[in-house]
Coordinates of all heavy atoms in Angstrom, one line a residue:
F812 N 101.9 106.7 101.8 CA 102.3 106.6 100.4 C 102.7 105.0 100.2 O 102.4 104.4 99.1 CB 103.5 107.4 100.2 CG 104.2 107.2 98.9 CD1 103.6 107.5 97.6 CD2 105.5 106.6 98.9 CE1 104.4 107.2 96.5 CE2 106.3 106.3 97.8 CZ 105.6 106.6 96.5
L813 N 103.5 104.5 101.0 CA 104.0 103.0 100.8 C 102.9 102.0 100.8 O 102.8 101.1 100.1 CB 105.0 102.8 101.8 CG 106.3 103.4 101.8 CD1 107.3 103.1 103.0 CD2 107.1 103.1 100.5
T814 N 101.9 102.4 101.6 CA 100.7 101.5 101.7 C 99.9 101.6 100.3 O 99.5 100.6 99.8 CB 99.7 101.9 102.9 OG1 100.3 101.9 104.0 CG2 98.4 101.0 102.8
I815 N 99.6 102.8 99.8 CA 98.9 102.9 98.5 C 99.7 102.2 97.4 O 99.2 101.6 96.6 CB 98.8 104.5 98.2 CG1 97.7 105.0 99.2 CG2 98.2 104.6 96.8 CD1 97.6 106.6 99.0
W816 N 101.1 102.5 97.5 CA 102.0 101.9 96.4 C 101.9 100.4 96.5 O 101.8 99.7 95.5 CB 103.3 102.5 96.5 CG 104.2 102.2 95.3 CD1 103.8 101.8 94.1 CD2 105.5 102.4 95.2 NE1 104.8 101.7 93.2 CE2 106.0 102.0 93.9 CE3 106.6 102.9 96.2 CZ2 107.3 102.1 93.5 CZ3 107.9 103.0 95.6 CH2 108.2 102.6 94.5
G817 N 101.9 99.9 97.8 CA 101.9 98.4 97.9 C 100.5 97.9 97.4 O 100.6 96.8 96.9
I818 N 99.5 98.6 97.7 CA 98.1 98.2 97.2 C 98.3 98.0 95.7 O 97.6 97.0 95.1 CB 97.1 99.0 97.7 CG1 96.9 98.9 99.2 CG2 95.8 98.8 96.9 CD1 96.0 99.9 99.8
Y819 N 99.0 98.9 95.0 CA 99.1 98.8 93.5 C 100.3 98.0 93.1 O 100.9 98.3 92.1 CB 99.2 100.2 93.1 CG 97.8 100.9 92.9 CD1 97.3 101.6 94.1 CD2 97.1 100.9 91.7 CE1 96.1 102.2 93.9 CE2 95.9 101.5 91.7 CZ 95.3 102.2 92.8 OH 94.2 102.7 92.6
R820 N 100.7 97.0 94.0 CA 101.8 96.0 93.8 C 103.1 96.8 93.5 O 103.9 96.2 92.7 CB 101.4 95.2 92.5 CG 100.3 94.2 92.8 CD 100.0 93.5 91.5 NE 99.1 92.4 91.8 CZ 99.3 91.2 92.1 NH1 100.6 90.7 92.2 NH2 98.3 90.3 92.3
F821 N 103.3 97.9 94.0 CA 104.6 98.8 93.7 C 104.9 98.8 92.3 O 106.0 98.9 91.8 CB 105.8 98.0 94.5 CG 105.6 98.0 95.9 CD1 105.3 96.8 96.5 CD2 105.9 99.2 96.7 CE1 105.1 96.8 98.1 CE2 105.7 99.1 98.1 CZ 105.4 98.0 98.7
Q822 N 103.8 99.0 91.5 CA 104.0 99.2 90.1 C 104.3 100.8 89.7 O 104.0 101.5 90.5 CB 102.7 98.9 89.3 CG 102.4 97.3 89.4 CD 101.1 97.1 88.6 OE1 100.3 97.9 88.3 NE2 100.7 95.8 88.4
V823 N 105.0 100.9 88.7 CA 105.2 102.2 88.1 C 104.8 102.2 86.7 O 104.8 101.1 86.1 CB 106.8 102.6 88.3 CG1 107.2 102.8 89.7 CG2 107.6 101.6 87.5
G824 N 104.4 103.4 86.1 CA 103.9 103.4 84.8 C 103.6 104.9 84.3 O 104.0 105.8 85.2
P825 N 103.3 105.0 83.2 CA 103.0 106.5 82.6 C 101.9 107.1 83.2 O 100.8 106.5 83.5 CB 102.9 106.2 81.1 CG 102.3 104.8 81.0 CD 102.9 104.0 82.2
L826 N 102.0 108.5 83.3 CA 100.9 109.2 83.8 C 99.8 109.4 82.7 O 98.7 109.5 83.0 CB 101.5 110.5 84.1 CG 100.4 111.5 84.8 CD1 99.9 110.9 86.1 CD2 101.1 112.9 85.3
A827 N 100.3 109.4 81.5 CA 99.3 109.6 80.2 C 98.5 108.3 80.1 O 99.0 107.2 80.1 CB 100.1 110.0 79.0
T828 N 97.3 108.4 79.8 CA 96.4 107.2 79.7 C 96.1 106.9 78.2 O 95.5 105.8 78.0 CB 95.1 107.6 80.3 OG1 94.5 108.9 79.8 CG2 95.1 107.7 81.8
N829 N 96.6 107.7 77.3 CA 96.4 107.4 75.9 C 97.4 108.0 75.0 O 98.2 108.9 75.6 CB 94.9 107.8 75.5 CG 94.7 109.3 75.7 OD1 95.3 110.1 75.1 ND2 93.7 109.5 76.5
P830 N 97.6 107.7 73.8 CA 98.7 108.2 73.0 C 98.6 109.7 72.8 O 99.7 110.3 72.8 CB 98.5 107.5 71.6 CG 97.8 106.2 72.0 CD 97.0 106.5 73.1
A831 N 97.4 110.2 72.7 CA 97.3 111.6 72.5 C 97.9 112.5 73.7 O 98.4 113.4 73.7 CB 95.8 112.0 72.2
S832 N 97.4 111.9 75.0 CA 97.9 112.5 76.2 C 99.4 112.5 76.3 O 100.1 113.4 76.8 CB 97.3 111.9 77.4 OG 95.8 112.0 77.4
H833 N 100.0 111.2 75.9 CA 101.4 111.1 76.0 C 102.2 112.1 75.0 O 103.2 112.7 75.5 CB 101.8 109.7 75.5 CG 103.2 109.2 75.9 ND1 104.2 109.4 75.1 CD2 103.6 108.7 77.1 CE1 105.3 109.0 75.7 NE2 105.0 108.7 76.9
I834 N 101.6 112.4 73.9 CA 102.2 113.3 73.0 C 102.2 114.7 73.6 O 103.2 115.5 73.6 CB 101.6 113.3 71.7 CG1 101.7 112.1 70.9 CG2 101.9 114.5 70.7 CD1 101.0 111.9 69.6
H835 N 101.1 115.1 74.3 CA 100.9 116.3 75.0 C 102.0 116.5 76.0 O 102.6 117.5 76.3 CB 99.6 116.4 75.5 CG 99.3 117.8 76.3 ND1 99.2 119.0 75.7 CD2 99.0 118.0 77.6 CE1 99.1 120.0 76.6 NE2 99.0 119.4 77.7
V836 N 102.2 115.4 76.8 CA 103.1 115.4 77.9 C 104.6 115.6 77.3 O 105.5 116.3 77.8 CB 103.1 114.1 78.7 CG1 104.3 114.0 79.7 CG2 101.8 114.0 79.5
Q837 N 104.8 114.9 76.2 CA 106.2 115.1 75.5 C 106.4 116.6 75.1 O 107.5 117.1 75.3 CB 106.2 114.3 74.2 CG 106.4 112.7 74.6 CD 106.6 111.8 73.3 OE1 105.7 112.1 72.4 NE2 107.3 110.9 73.4
R838 N 105.4 117.2 74.6 CA 105.6 118.6 74.2 C 105.8 119.5 75.4 O 106.6 120.4 75.3 CB 104.3 119.0 73.5 CG 104.1 118.4 72.2 CD 102.8 118.8 71.5 NE 102.6 118.2 70.1 CZ 101.5 118.1 69.5 NH1 100.3 118.8 70.0 NH2 101.4 117.6 68.3
L839 N 105.1 119.2 76.6 CA 105.4 120.0 77.7 C 106.8 119.8 78.2 O 107.5 120.7 78.6 CB 104.4 119.6 78.8 CG 102.9 120.0 78.5 CD1 102.0 119.4 79.6 CD2 102.8 121.5 78.4
A840 N 107.2 118.5 78.2 CA 108.6 118.2 78.6 C 109.7 118.8 77.8 O 110.7 119.1 78.3 CB 108.8 116.6 78.8
A841 N 109.4 118.9 76.4 CA 110.4 119.5 75.6 C 110.7 121.0 75.9 O 111.7 121.4 75.6 CB 109.8 119.4 74.1
K842 N 109.7 121.6 76.5 CA 109.9 123.0 77.0 C 110.9 123.2 78.0 O 111.3 124.3 78.4 CB 108.5 123.6 77.2 CG 107.6 123.7 76.1 CD 106.2 124.3 76.5 CE 105.3 124.4 75.4 NZ 104.0 125.0 75.8
T843 N 111.3 122.2 78.8 CA 112.2 122.1 79.8 C 113.7 122.2 79.2 O 114.6 122.1 80.1 CB 112.0 121.0 80.9 OG1 112.2 119.8 80.2 CG2 110.5 121.0 81.4
G844 N 113.9 122.0 78.0 CA 115.2 122.1 77.4 C 116.0 120.8 77.7 O 115.6 119.7 77.5
P845 N 117.1 121.0 78.3 CA 118.1 119.8 78.6 C 117.5 118.8 79.6 O 118.0 117.7 79.7 CB 119.3 120.5 79.0 CG 118.9 121.8 79.5 CD 117.9 122.2 78.6
L846 N 116.5 119.3 80.3 CA 115.9 118.3 81.3 C 114.8 117.6 80.8 O 114.2 116.7 81.6 CB 115.4 119.2 82.5 CG 116.4 120.0 83.4 CD1 115.7 120.8 84.4 CD2 117.5 119.0 84.1
A847 N 114.6 117.7 79.6 CA 113.4 117.0 78.9 C 113.5 115.5 79.1 O 112.5 114.9 79.6 CB 113.2 117.3 77.4
P848 N 114.7 114.8 78.8 CA 114.7 113.4 79.0 C 114.4 113.0 80.5 O 113.8 112.0 80.8 CB 116.1 113.0 78.7 CG 116.6 114.1 77.8 CD 115.9 115.3 78.3
V849 N 114.8 113.8 81.4 CA 114.7 113.5 83.0 C 113.2 113.5 83.2 O 112.5 112.8 83.9 CB 115.5 114.4 83.8 CG1 115.2 114.1 85.2 CG2 117.0 114.2 83.6

């Protein structure tokens, strides 16, 4: 895992690749209630 992450410069970023996907992820997260921000 550390090797793969190091190859990717230890970058972090969103799982969604476009705005529509990000909105879909937001809707799924909203279903978790108080854990949605996390």
Side-chain angles (χ1 to χ4, degrees):
F812 166 74
L813 292 175
T814 301
I815 295 174
W816 195 13
I818 288 170
Y819 281 85
R820 291 179 175 268
F821 295 104
Q822 293 178 349
V823 295
L826 187 61
T828 55
N829 55 62
S832 299
H833 195 266
I834 292 173
H835 179 67
V836 171
Q837 284 181 321
R838 290 173 179 171
L839 292 176
K842 295 180 180 180
T843 61
L846 294 178
V849 177

